[in-house]
Amino acid sequence: MNEAVTKRFLLYFRLMLLVWILIVNSILHVVGFEYSWLIFLSNIMLFTMEGDIKDRFVSVELGGLVGMVFTVIALLLGIFFGFLIPLAVVLFVLIILHPYAPKVLNNVGFAYLTAACIDSAAFAANLPLFFGVYIVGSLVFNGGCVLLLKPARY
């Protein structure tokens, strides 16, 4: 492929990706879906992380899930132990299991931990809904983005 064709393809691809994101956001806004932040936070992270798209996809999905699980642990254990035990686990994984840490303990997990703790009462009252929306929504939405990225490898 010559350079002009490649640049034009990438421009069309980026426009297609932008349209995909705007369509899904519009649909969720029109139907009044209040938990869309669970989906789109992961999408932002998918495009801001470094590395191969498949590795980023796995890191985003696992990191967000781990962050939400740590939020549940923090809510169950109270303020002191809810802070100390997740911190000990994170530090253990980061220091002792260093090469494996970025897949599960990364900025995505901490972003979800922080966001879920903003309204911890709503999070605690709707755990299945939050986890279901995150798992299904981010897999479908980010999976769609990954599929759209496949042709961009030229």
Side-chain angles (χ1 to χ4, degrees):
M1 242 186 227
N2 70 30
E3 190 174 332
V5 173
T6 302
K7 284 183 179 181
R8 189 174 331 135
F9 171 79
L10 288 175
L11 174 64
Y12 290 144
F13 163 74
R14 289 180 182 128
L15 288 172
M16 181 176 56
L17 189 61
L18 174 66
V19 168
W20 161 247
I21 292 169
L22 291 174
I23 287 171
V24 174
N25 270 292
S26 299
I27 291 169
L28 291 177
H29 180 72
V30 167
V31 298
F33 190 71
E34 63 184 272
Y35 300 109
S36 62
W37 68 268
L38 290 160
I39 300 166
F40 297 110
L41 182 60
S42 69
N43 188 251
I44 291 166
M45 296 295 184
L46 180 70
F47 287 106
T48 58
M49 292 178 76
E50 297 289 327
D52 180 60
I53 188 66
K54 290 178 184 175
D55 290 338
R56 289 186 285 174
F57 180 75
V58 170
S59 293
V60 164
E61 298 304 321
L62 291 177
L65 197 57
V66 167
M68 291 173 58
V69 167
F70 278 158
T71 305
V72 172
I73 292 169
L75 292 173
L76 292 174
L77 297 175
I79 294 172
F80 179 71
F81 289 112
F83 166 74
L84 193 60
I85 292 175
L87 179 64
V89 170
V90 168
L91 291 176
F92 174 80
V93 172
L94 289 174
I95 294 168
I96 306 300
L97 304 175
H98 174 66
Y100 304 105
K103 288 285 183 213
V104 294
L105 295 170
N106 51 39
N107 58 343
V108 179
F110 292 114
Y112 273 91
L113 173 66
T114 303
C117 284
I118 290 171
D119 189 0
S120 58
F123 183 77
N126 299 301
L127 279 177
L129 179 64
F130 274 74
F131 276 93
V133 167
Y134 173 73
I135 292 168
V136 174
S138 67
L139 284 174
V140 169
F141 189 71
N142 289 339
C145 290
V146 169
L147 289 176
L148 289 174
L149 281 170
K150 270 189 146 180
R153 294 209 161 183
Y154 296 112

